[in-house]
Amino acid sequence: MTKKVLLVGESWISSATHYKGFDQFGSVTFHLGAEPLVKALQGSEFDLTYMPAHEAVEKFPFGMAGLDAYDAVILSDIGANSLLLPPAVWLHSQTVPNRLKLIKAWVEKGGGLLMVGGYFSFQGIDGKARWRRTPVEDVLPVTCLAYDDRVEMPEGSTAIVLRPEHPVMAGLDGEWPLLLGVNEVEPRDRADIEVLARLPEDQGSHPLLVLGSHGKGRTAAWTSDIGPHWLSPAFCEWEGYGRLWTNLLGWLTEAR
């Protein structure tokens, strides 16, 4: 049976100024960061809808019926403000449904939520992602720090798998390719929380993959990236890359 997944975020627009002697000119480029995941899910049981960050500001559902169209939602590298401040609020001071509360209610009734790491995930660069103390944080299996939570590892790091017997880890034996960073989070202290993988002790033992539940739904936190720059090209090309995501989405959408 096909399962519908909504990926929200993983896009950005860059503006550059080019100087050539006396002269200068500007350029603007648009980037998508989740192409490795899109490729990995092609032909799988998961039907992925990719909603870039700028589209999510207005197109992310404002009502439960919109979210009910999906079995799982992935929030990746998009800050809370993008869902809290659509133009109706930011430009016209109108009221709209709080979409962070909507996500929480959707998970409580059985939805599967995954937050993936990045500069605008969890608390993010300079603390600007601002998921801490929100309804979305309430349902995650981890809590966010109160400040910039990036852990940059330019030397590279490999995952330490703690629960190789877990279904999410099926087919992922052996050493994983290099990671270059994560968001630092704290796993919740509850019986349902499972830390499946973490960083090595000499790099802080920070959680990498954490599973949990909220109400009738399941939730997960993957604290590294979907693709570069925190995932090395070798990680994205690894045969286990697609298996990791299909296993994780399978677990998230499994009926409880």
Side-chain angles (χ1 to χ4, degrees), residues 166-204:
H166 195 282
V168 172
M169 295 291 103
L172 299 174
D173 302 328
E175 185 171 298
W176 295 14
L178 291 178
L179 306 161
L180 299 177
V182 298
N183 297 90
E184 182 180 354
V185 298
E186 295 288 341
R188 294 187 184 275
D189 185 15
R190 292 200 316 252
D192 67 298
I193 301 302
E194 299 178 285
V195 180
L196 301 192
R198 62 166 174 80
L199 300 188
E201 289 184 11
D202 63 354
Q203 292 178 311

mmCIF file of all heavy atoms in Angstrom, residues 166-204:
data_model
loop_
_atom_site.group_PDB
_atom_site.id
_atom_site.type_symbol
_atom_site.label_atom_id
_atom_site.label_comp_id
_atom_site.label_asym_id
_atom_site.label_seq_id
_atom_site.Cartn_x
_atom_site.Cartn_y
_atom_site.Cartn_z
ATOM 1 N N HIS A 166 16.852 -3.381 16.133
ATOM 2 C CA HIS A 166 15.609 -2.644 15.887
ATOM 3 C C HIS A 166 15.258 -2.696 14.398
ATOM 4 O O HIS A 166 16.153 -2.653 13.536
ATOM 5 C CB HIS A 166 15.749 -1.191 16.346
ATOM 6 C CG HIS A 166 14.447 -0.473 16.468
ATOM 7 N ND1 HIS A 166 13.769 0.020 15.379
ATOM 8 C CD2 HIS A 166 13.694 -0.166 17.566
ATOM 9 C CE1 HIS A 166 12.655 0.598 15.789
ATOM 10 N NE2 HIS A 166 12.583 0.505 17.110
ATOM 11 N N PRO A 167 13.966 -2.788 14.051
ATOM 12 C CA PRO A 167 13.574 -2.847 12.637
ATOM 13 C C PRO A 167 14.092 -1.682 11.794
ATOM 14 O O PRO A 167 14.369 -1.862 10.601
ATOM 15 C CB PRO A 167 12.038 -2.840 12.698
ATOM 16 C CG PRO A 167 11.708 -3.408 14.043
ATOM 17 C CD PRO A 167 12.803 -2.970 14.964
ATOM 18 N N VAL A 168 14.228 -0.511 12.380
ATOM 19 C CA VAL A 168 14.747 0.634 11.625
ATOM 20 C C VAL A 168 16.199 0.411 11.207
ATOM 21 O O VAL A 168 16.667 0.979 10.224
ATOM 22 C CB VAL A 168 14.598 1.929 12.448
ATOM 23 C CG1 VAL A 168 15.309 3.105 11.781
ATOM 24 C CG2 VAL A 168 13.116 2.272 12.632
ATOM 25 N N MET A 169 16.919 -0.425 11.932
ATOM 26 C CA MET A 169 18.326 -0.684 11.635
ATOM 27 C C MET A 169 18.525 -1.884 10.713
ATOM 28 O O MET A 169 19.656 -2.251 10.396
ATOM 29 C CB MET A 169 19.091 -0.935 12.938
ATOM 30 C CG MET A 169 19.159 0.253 13.868
ATOM 31 S SD MET A 169 20.208 1.599 13.221
ATOM 32 C CE MET A 169 18.956 2.748 12.635
ATOM 33 N N ALA A 170 17.452 -2.517 10.257
ATOM 34 C CA ALA A 170 17.556 -3.702 9.409
ATOM 35 C C ALA A 170 18.325 -3.395 8.126
ATOM 36 O O ALA A 170 18.049 -2.408 7.436
ATOM 37 C CB ALA A 170 16.162 -4.229 9.064
ATOM 38 N N GLY A 171 19.318 -4.215 7.817
ATOM 39 C CA GLY A 171 20.087 -4.052 6.593
ATOM 40 C C GLY A 171 21.119 -2.960 6.642
ATOM 41 O O GLY A 171 21.686 -2.586 5.601
ATOM 42 N N LEU A 172 21.391 -2.418 7.826
ATOM 43 C CA LEU A 172 22.337 -1.303 7.968
ATOM 44 C C LEU A 172 23.559 -1.717 8.773
ATOM 45 O O LEU A 172 24.087 -0.952 9.565
ATOM 46 C CB LEU A 172 21.632 -0.102 8.625
ATOM 47 C CG LEU A 172 20.447 0.458 7.847
ATOM 48 C CD1 LEU A 172 19.729 1.533 8.648
ATOM 49 C CD2 LEU A 172 20.900 1.014 6.501
ATOM 50 N N ASP A 173 24.011 -2.927 8.552
ATOM 51 C CA ASP A 173 25.178 -3.442 9.262
ATOM 52 C C ASP A 173 26.459 -2.765 8.769
ATOM 53 O O ASP A 173 26.504 -2.193 7.676
ATOM 54 C CB ASP A 173 25.289 -4.954 9.039
ATOM 55 C CG ASP A 173 24.044 -5.697 9.507
ATOM 56 O OD1 ASP A 173 23.411 -5.244 10.474
ATOM 57 O OD2 ASP A 173 23.706 -6.728 8.883
ATOM 58 N N GLY A 174 27.500 -2.897 9.571
ATOM 59 C CA GLY A 174 28.796 -2.356 9.179
ATOM 60 C C GLY A 174 28.932 -0.887 9.504
ATOM 61 O O GLY A 174 28.028 -0.248 10.052
ATOM 62 N N GLU A 175 30.083 -0.332 9.164
ATOM 63 C CA GLU A 175 30.371 1.074 9.469
ATOM 64 C C GLU A 175 29.663 1.993 8.485
ATOM 65 O O GLU A 175 29.687 1.782 7.275
ATOM 66 C CB GLU A 175 31.878 1.325 9.410
ATOM 67 C CG GLU A 175 32.275 2.734 9.839
ATOM 68 C CD GLU A 175 33.781 2.896 9.973
ATOM 69 O OE1 GLU A 175 34.368 2.188 10.830
ATOM 70 O OE2 GLU A 175 34.357 3.709 9.234
ATOM 71 N N TRP A 176 29.017 3.022 9.029
ATOM 72 C CA TRP A 176 28.326 3.985 8.183
ATOM 73 C C TRP A 176 29.318 5.015 7.640
ATOM 74 O O TRP A 176 30.323 5.320 8.287
ATOM 75 C CB TRP A 176 27.246 4.712 8.986
ATOM 76 C CG TRP A 176 26.122 3.839 9.460
ATOM 77 C CD1 TRP A 176 26.088 2.478 9.486
ATOM 78 C CD2 TRP A 176 24.871 4.286 9.978
ATOM 79 N NE1 TRP A 176 24.892 2.029 9.992
ATOM 80 C CE2 TRP A 176 24.122 3.127 10.309
ATOM 81 C CE3 TRP A 176 24.309 5.529 10.207
ATOM 82 C CZ2 TRP A 176 22.842 3.195 10.851
ATOM 83 C CZ3 TRP A 176 23.033 5.611 10.739
ATOM 84 C CH2 TRP A 176 22.309 4.456 11.055
ATOM 85 N N PRO A 177 29.030 5.609 6.486
ATOM 86 C CA PRO A 177 29.889 6.678 5.965
ATOM 87 C C PRO A 177 29.885 7.909 6.877
ATOM 88 O O PRO A 177 29.100 8.005 7.815
ATOM 89 C CB PRO A 177 29.272 6.995 4.597
ATOM 90 C CG PRO A 177 28.508 5.769 4.235
ATOM 91 C CD PRO A 177 27.982 5.228 5.527
ATOM 92 N N LEU A 178 30.736 8.866 6.547
ATOM 93 C CA LEU A 178 30.984 9.996 7.428
ATOM 94 C C LEU A 178 29.825 10.993 7.476
ATOM 95 O O LEU A 178 29.167 11.279 6.470
ATOM 96 C CB LEU A 178 32.244 10.735 6.982
ATOM 97 C CG LEU A 178 33.565 9.991 7.169
ATOM 98 C CD1 LEU A 178 34.711 10.837 6.644
ATOM 99 C CD2 LEU A 178 33.783 9.625 8.628
ATOM 100 N N LEU A 179 29.618 11.519 8.679
ATOM 101 C CA LEU A 179 28.764 12.672 8.939
ATOM 102 C C LEU A 179 29.663 13.860 9.248
ATOM 103 O O LEU A 179 30.760 13.700 9.800
ATOM 104 C CB LEU A 179 27.872 12.419 10.161
ATOM 105 C CG LEU A 179 27.007 11.161 10.193
ATOM 106 C CD1 LEU A 179 26.588 10.865 11.618
ATOM 107 C CD2 LEU A 179 25.793 11.361 9.315
ATOM 108 N N LEU A 180 29.189 15.068 8.949
ATOM 109 C CA LEU A 180 29.980 16.263 9.208
ATOM 110 C C LEU A 180 29.332 17.195 10.231
ATOM 111 O O LEU A 180 29.881 18.265 10.513
ATOM 112 C CB LEU A 180 30.227 17.032 7.907
ATOM 113 C CG LEU A 180 30.997 16.261 6.835
ATOM 114 C CD1 LEU A 180 31.113 17.085 5.567
ATOM 115 C CD2 LEU A 180 32.369 15.862 7.334
ATOM 116 N N GLY A 181 28.193 16.798 10.781
ATOM 117 C CA GLY A 181 27.568 17.643 11.785
ATOM 118 C C GLY A 181 26.208 17.140 12.196
ATOM 119 O O GLY A 181 25.597 16.304 11.507
ATOM 120 N N VAL A 182 25.740 17.627 13.348
ATOM 121 C CA VAL A 182 24.414 17.322 13.882
ATOM 122 C C VAL A 182 23.905 18.531 14.654
ATOM 123 O O VAL A 182 24.656 19.458 14.960
ATOM 124 C CB VAL A 182 24.427 16.096 14.839
ATOM 125 C CG1 VAL A 182 24.880 14.842 14.124
ATOM 126 C CG2 VAL A 182 25.290 16.372 16.068
ATOM 127 N N ASN A 183 22.627 18.501 14.978
ATOM 128 C CA ASN A 183 22.072 19.402 15.990
ATOM 129 C C ASN A 183 22.130 18.685 17.334
ATOM 130 O O ASN A 183 21.763 17.514 17.432
ATOM 131 C CB ASN A 183 20.620 19.768 15.686
ATOM 132 C CG ASN A 183 20.447 20.530 14.400
ATOM 133 O OD1 ASN A 183 20.249 19.937 13.342
ATOM 134 N ND2 ASN A 183 20.508 21.852 14.470
ATOM 135 N N GLU A 184 22.560 19.388 18.365
ATOM 136 C CA GLU A 184 22.588 18.799 19.698
ATOM 137 C C GLU A 184 21.202 18.880 20.320
ATOM 138 O O GLU A 184 20.589 19.959 20.367
ATOM 139 C CB GLU A 184 23.590 19.528 20.592
ATOM 140 C CG GLU A 184 23.701 18.936 21.983
ATOM 141 C CD GLU A 184 24.697 19.651 22.873
ATOM 142 O OE1 GLU A 184 25.394 20.554 22.380
ATOM 143 O OE2 GLU A 184 24.765 19.300 24.075
ATOM 144 N N VAL A 185 20.704 17.763 20.806
ATOM 145 C CA VAL A 185 19.389 17.692 21.446
ATOM 146 C C VAL A 185 19.508 16.833 22.696
ATOM 147 O O VAL A 185 20.525 16.188 22.931
ATOM 148 C CB VAL A 185 18.319 17.092 20.495
ATOM 149 C CG1 VAL A 185 18.121 17.963 19.260
ATOM 150 C CG2 VAL A 185 18.703 15.664 20.097
ATOM 151 N N GLU A 186 18.430 16.795 23.476
ATOM 152 C CA GLU A 186 18.375 15.953 24.669
ATOM 153 C C GLU A 186 17.217 14.962 24.525
ATOM 154 O O GLU A 186 16.061 15.378 24.369
ATOM 155 C CB GLU A 186 18.157 16.797 25.926
ATOM 156 C CG GLU A 186 19.304 17.735 26.259
ATOM 157 C CD GLU A 186 20.522 16.996 26.780
ATOM 158 O OE1 GLU A 186 20.368 15.830 27.225
ATOM 159 O OE2 GLU A 186 21.625 17.563 26.734
ATOM 160 N N PRO A 187 17.487 13.645 24.556
ATOM 161 C CA PRO A 187 16.380 12.681 24.515
ATOM 162 C C PRO A 187 15.485 12.837 25.733
ATOM 163 O O PRO A 187 15.962 13.111 26.839
ATOM 164 C CB PRO A 187 17.096 11.324 24.529
ATOM 165 C CG PRO A 187 18.487 11.606 24.109
ATOM 166 C CD PRO A 187 18.794 12.987 24.597
ATOM 167 N N ARG A 188 14.200 12.677 25.553
ATOM 168 C CA ARG A 188 13.276 12.740 26.684
ATOM 169 C C ARG A 188 13.464 11.510 27.574
ATOM 170 O O ARG A 188 13.823 10.430 27.110
ATOM 171 C CB ARG A 188 11.832 12.819 26.194
ATOM 172 C CG ARG A 188 11.511 14.108 25.446
ATOM 173 C CD ARG A 188 10.041 14.216 25.128
ATOM 174 N NE ARG A 188 9.766 15.395 24.343
ATOM 175 C CZ ARG A 188 9.564 16.616 24.840
ATOM 176 N NH1 ARG A 188 9.609 16.786 26.161
ATOM 177 N NH2 ARG A 188 9.314 17.641 24.050
ATOM 178 N N ASP A 189 13.218 11.696 28.843
ATOM 179 C CA ASP A 189 13.376 10.620 29.815
ATOM 180 C C ASP A 189 12.034 9.915 30.001
ATOM 181 O O ASP A 189 11.302 10.160 30.957
ATOM 182 C CB ASP A 189 13.882 11.192 31.147
ATOM 183 C CG ASP A 189 14.184 10.100 32.170
ATOM 184 O OD1 ASP A 189 14.273 8.932 31.759
ATOM 185 O OD2 ASP A 189 14.322 10.429 33.361
ATOM 186 N N ARG A 190 11.697 9.029 29.026
ATOM 187 C CA ARG A 190 10.446 8.277 29.075
ATOM 188 C C ARG A 190 10.702 6.861 28.620
ATOM 189 O O ARG A 190 11.643 6.595 27.860
ATOM 190 C CB ARG A 190 9.388 8.917 28.157
ATOM 191 C CG ARG A 190 8.868 10.266 28.568
ATOM 192 C CD ARG A 190 7.524 10.534 27.877
ATOM 193 N NE ARG A 190 7.495 10.174 26.490
ATOM 194 C CZ ARG A 190 7.479 11.046 25.468
ATOM 195 N NH1 ARG A 190 7.516 12.348 25.703
ATOM 196 N NH2 ARG A 190 7.445 10.614 24.208
ATOM 197 N N ALA A 191 9.838 5.969 29.033
ATOM 198 C CA ALA A 191 10.025 4.554 28.711
ATOM 199 C C ALA A 191 9.934 4.282 27.213
ATOM 200 O O ALA A 191 10.561 3.331 26.710
ATOM 201 C CB ALA A 191 8.994 3.717 29.464
ATOM 202 N N ASP A 192 9.153 5.078 26.473
ATOM 203 C CA ASP A 192 8.967 4.812 25.049
ATOM 204 C C ASP A 192 10.105 5.344 24.180
ATOM 205 O O ASP A 192 10.157 5.064 22.984
ATOM 206 C CB ASP A 192 7.641 5.418 24.578
ATOM 207 C CG ASP A 192 7.648 6.935 24.629
ATOM 208 O OD1 ASP A 192 7.800 7.481 25.737
ATOM 209 O OD2 ASP A 192 7.517 7.572 23.573
ATOM 210 N N ILE A 193 11.004 6.134 24.752
ATOM 211 C CA ILE A 193 12.067 6.764 23.972
ATOM 212 C C ILE A 193 13.188 5.767 23.699
ATOM 213 O O ILE A 193 13.690 5.113 24.608
ATOM 214 C CB ILE A 193 12.623 7.998 24.711
ATOM 215 C CG1 ILE A 193 11.502 9.013 24.970
ATOM 216 C CG2 ILE A 193 13.747 8.628 23.904
ATOM 217 C CD1 ILE A 193 10.785 9.505 23.734
ATOM 218 N N GLU A 194 13.584 5.661 22.433
ATOM 219 C CA GLU A 194 14.648 4.753 22.027
ATOM 220 C C GLU A 194 15.714 5.536 21.260
ATOM 221 O O GLU A 194 15.424 6.129 20.220
ATOM 222 C CB GLU A 194 14.108 3.646 21.132
ATOM 223 C CG GLU A 194 13.061 2.753 21.782
ATOM 224 C CD GLU A 194 12.538 1.718 20.819
ATOM 225 O OE1 GLU A 194 11.739 2.090 19.940
ATOM 226 O OE2 GLU A 194 12.949 0.553 20.927
ATOM 227 N N VAL A 195 16.931 5.543 21.777
ATOM 228 C CA VAL A 195 18.063 6.131 21.057
ATOM 229 C C VAL A 195 18.719 5.003 20.261
ATOM 230 O O VAL A 195 19.342 4.115 20.839
ATOM 231 C CB VAL A 195 19.071 6.783 22.011
ATOM 232 C CG1 VAL A 195 20.232 7.391 21.225
ATOM 233 C CG2 VAL A 195 18.395 7.860 22.859
ATOM 234 N N LEU A 196 18.552 5.032 18.953
ATOM 235 C CA LEU A 196 19.064 3.951 18.114
ATOM 236 C C LEU A 196 20.515 4.161 17.704
ATOM 237 O O LEU A 196 21.238 3.193 17.455
ATOM 238 C CB LEU A 196 18.215 3.796 16.853
ATOM 239 C CG LEU A 196 16.732 3.483 17.030
ATOM 240 C CD1 LEU A 196 16.132 3.087 15.686
ATOM 241 C CD2 LEU A 196 16.500 2.392 18.056
ATOM 242 N N ALA A 197 20.940 5.414 17.602
ATOM 243 C CA ALA A 197 22.307 5.700 17.180
ATOM 244 C C ALA A 197 22.762 7.022 17.789
ATOM 245 O O ALA A 197 21.948 7.910 18.050
ATOM 246 C CB ALA A 197 22.399 5.748 15.654
ATOM 247 N N ARG A 198 24.060 7.132 17.983
ATOM 248 C CA ARG A 198 24.642 8.345 18.559
ATOM 249 C C ARG A 198 26.025 8.569 17.963
ATOM 250 O O ARG A 198 26.551 7.728 17.216
ATOM 251 C CB ARG A 198 24.746 8.242 20.080
ATOM 252 C CG ARG A 198 25.648 7.105 20.568
ATOM 253 C CD ARG A 198 25.986 7.241 22.034
ATOM 254 N NE ARG A 198 26.725 6.116 22.574
ATOM 255 C CZ ARG A 198 28.034 5.909 22.435
ATOM 256 N NH1 ARG A 198 28.755 6.771 21.724
ATOM 257 N NH2 ARG A 198 28.634 4.858 22.980
ATOM 258 N N LEU A 199 26.651 9.688 18.322
ATOM 259 C CA LEU A 199 28.024 9.957 17.915
ATOM 260 C C LEU A 199 28.995 9.244 18.859
ATOM 261 O O LEU A 199 28.624 8.845 19.962
ATOM 262 C CB LEU A 199 28.297 11.463 17.945
ATOM 263 C CG LEU A 199 27.442 12.353 17.048
ATOM 264 C CD1 LEU A 199 28.006 13.772 17.068
ATOM 265 C CD2 LEU A 199 27.388 11.834 15.627
ATOM 266 N N PRO A 200 30.257 9.106 18.456
ATOM 267 C CA PRO A 200 31.256 8.511 19.344
ATOM 268 C C PRO A 200 31.456 9.350 20.616
ATOM 269 O O PRO A 200 31.164 10.551 20.638
ATOM 270 C CB PRO A 200 32.532 8.510 18.491
ATOM 271 C CG PRO A 200 32.052 8.568 17.077
ATOM 272 C CD PRO A 200 30.801 9.395 17.120
ATOM 273 N N GLU A 201 31.968 8.708 21.651
ATOM 274 C CA GLU A 201 32.182 9.383 22.933
ATOM 275 C C GLU A 201 33.103 10.588 22.795
ATOM 276 O O GLU A 201 32.884 11.624 23.424
ATOM 277 C CB GLU A 201 32.757 8.403 23.958
ATOM 278 C CG GLU A 201 31.756 7.356 24.434
ATOM 279 C CD GLU A 201 32.337 6.472 25.519
ATOM 280 O OE1 GLU A 201 33.425 6.795 26.039
ATOM 281 O OE2 GLU A 201 31.704 5.445 25.849
ATOM 282 N N ASP A 202 34.166 10.463 21.985
ATOM 283 C CA ASP A 202 35.117 11.576 21.872
ATOM 284 C C ASP A 202 34.556 12.748 21.072
ATOM 285 O O ASP A 202 35.207 13.782 20.943
ATOM 286 C CB ASP A 202 36.444 11.105 21.288
ATOM 287 C CG ASP A 202 36.327 10.576 19.869
ATOM 288 O OD1 ASP A 202 35.186 10.467 19.355
ATOM 289 O OD2 ASP A 202 37.366 10.279 19.254
ATOM 290 N N GLN A 203 33.340 12.587 20.546
ATOM 291 C CA GLN A 203 32.658 13.688 19.862
ATOM 292 C C GLN A 203 31.335 14.019 20.553
ATOM 293 O O GLN A 203 30.432 14.575 19.949
ATOM 294 C CB GLN A 203 32.449 13.356 18.383
ATOM 295 C CG GLN A 203 33.761 13.311 17.603
ATOM 296 C CD GLN A 203 33.569 12.931 16.153
ATOM 297 O OE1 GLN A 203 32.895 11.956 15.839
ATOM 298 N NE2 GLN A 203 34.174 13.694 15.255
ATOM 299 N N GLY A 204 31.260 13.681 21.823
ATOM 300 C CA GLY A 204 30.136 14.127 22.637
ATOM 301 C C GLY A 204 29.025 13.129 22.867
ATOM 302 O O GLY A 204 28.103 13.416 23.640
#
